[in-house]
Amino acid sequence: MPDFQISNEPRYLPAYPISEAAHYLRVPLSTLRAWTLGQSYKTRRGEKRFRPVIELPEPGRPVLSFLNLVEAHVLTALRREHKVDLRHVRKALRFVTNEFQISHPLARQTFLTDGLDLFVNHYGDLLNASKDGQLALKSLLEAHLKRVEPDSSGLAARLFPFTRAGNPDEPRIIVIDPRVAFGRPALAGTSIPTGIIAERFKAGEGFDDLAQDYARPREEIEEAIRCELEAA
């Protein structure tokens, strides 16, 4: 049986309302709701419903754990280039989960080292995707997985979310760590929440003043504000 156990470890606990998680991940709210709560759809025989792709810590409560946040971060790679069919994604994830007997496979180093090819091949077969299409999908998934830092056991410990256009070479300046700043985005290597910096910026303080106050490079201040204020 996969290791689906209940844990009081911070990474497993509900912490991010769906709207907040969608903002951090740059994912449409409706998409994240479908992934975590399921989605109804109409057929000739009436309305049916997809089951969620991501298993929340408290089913029915729209709050993600840190591990859910990482899973959704990885799934955005599918959203960027492919129309996500929840049935196919669920089947591919179930296949990988059963192969490795683990929970939260998208949040584990095992998935990057051993499970990625299995997932891509299985998902590609379900969609009848070409080899080129599968390679493109693998490249997108790898770019997202490389922004996840695991602990010694291989379980995701920190997430460096995309704050710009989702390009693989974006700087890793902002981090989400469930043990720092109550799990909210912060400047990497510090406990300075990006939300506080953004609030001071909205109140009229300038980039250089904030950089001086926090003794951080201006680039980091700009990235913190970009993380919180998409129009900045």
Side-chain angles (χ1 to χ4, degrees), residues 142-168:
E142 283 180 332
H144 282 66
L145 285 162
K146 287 178 179 178
R147 299 186 73 86
V148 179
E149 188 174 296
D151 61 15
S152 58
S153 73
L155 185 64
R158 283 168 290 279
L159 169 64
F160 296 85
F162 290 111
T163 54
R164 303 182 186 182
N167 296 321

Side-chain angles (χ1 to χ4, degrees), residues 22-232:
H23 171 72
Y24 293 154
L25 299 174
R26 302 291 194 267
V27 179
L29 178 58
S30 59
T31 297
L32 192 55
R33 286 186 66 85
W35 289 352
T36 56
L37 298 177
Q39 184 178 48
S40 297
Y41 64 101
K42 293 181 179 180
T43 71
R44 292 180 180 179
R45 297 183 179 181
E47 187 172 273
K48 292 189 177 182
R49 187 170 182 81
F50 287 133
R51 297 191 309 279
V53 179
I54 295 173
E55 184 176 352
L56 297 177
E58 297 180 7
R61 182 185 175 194
V63 183
L64 284 70
S65 68
F66 172 76
L67 294 180
N68 294 151
L69 199 69
V70 172
E71 291 172 305
H73 162 80
V74 178
L75 285 177
T76 57
L78 302 177
R79 179 67 180 179
R80 289 184 62 194
E81 299 294 335
H82 299 264
K83 290 185 177 180
V84 176
D85 186 315
L86 298 182
R87 293 170 301 178
H88 294 158
V89 174
R90 191 184 304 107
K91 287 179 181 177
L93 283 176
R94 187 185 304 124
F95 174 72
V96 173
T97 298
N98 290 335
E99 283 291 312
F100 292 102
Q101 295 293 295
I102 56 174
S103 63
H104 303 287
L106 297 181
R108 294 181 183 273
Q109 186 70 16
T110 303
F111 184 81
L112 178 59
T113 55
D114 302 313
L116 184 56
D117 285 331
L118 280 177
F119 177 85
V120 170
N121 292 337
H122 196 65
Y123 183 77
D125 288 342
L126 290 170
L127 296 181
N128 294 318
S130 66
K131 290 298 181 182
D132 287 343
Q134 291 186 23
L135 287 174
L137 173 60
K138 181 178 178 180
S139 177
L140 282 169
L141 285 168
E142 283 180 332
H144 282 66
L145 285 162
K146 287 178 179 178
R147 299 186 73 86
V148 179
E149 188 174 296
D151 61 15
S152 58
S153 73
L155 185 64
R158 283 168 290 279
L159 169 64
F160 296 85
F162 290 111
T163 54
R164 303 182 186 182
N167 296 321
D169 58 351
E170 282 188 23
R172 291 161 50 120
I173 292 175
I174 307 302
V175 65
I176 297 177
D177 184 330
R179 296 176 177 82
V180 175
F182 300 100
R184 268 48 196 174
L187 296 180
T190 79
S191 58
I192 305 170
T194 57
I196 291 178
I197 296 173
E199 286 300 320
R200 291 183 62 178
F201 175 76
K202 287 193 295 182
E205 297 188 58
F207 292 115
D208 293 329
D209 290 337
L210 290 168
Q212 184 174 3
D213 280 356
Y214 289 109
R216 308 300 299 181
R218 175 178 167 133
E219 179 189 14
E220 292 188 8
I221 301 301
E222 292 175 351
E223 204 69 19
I225 293 169
R226 184 178 289 113
C227 172
E228 296 290 341
L229 309 175
E230 293 184 52

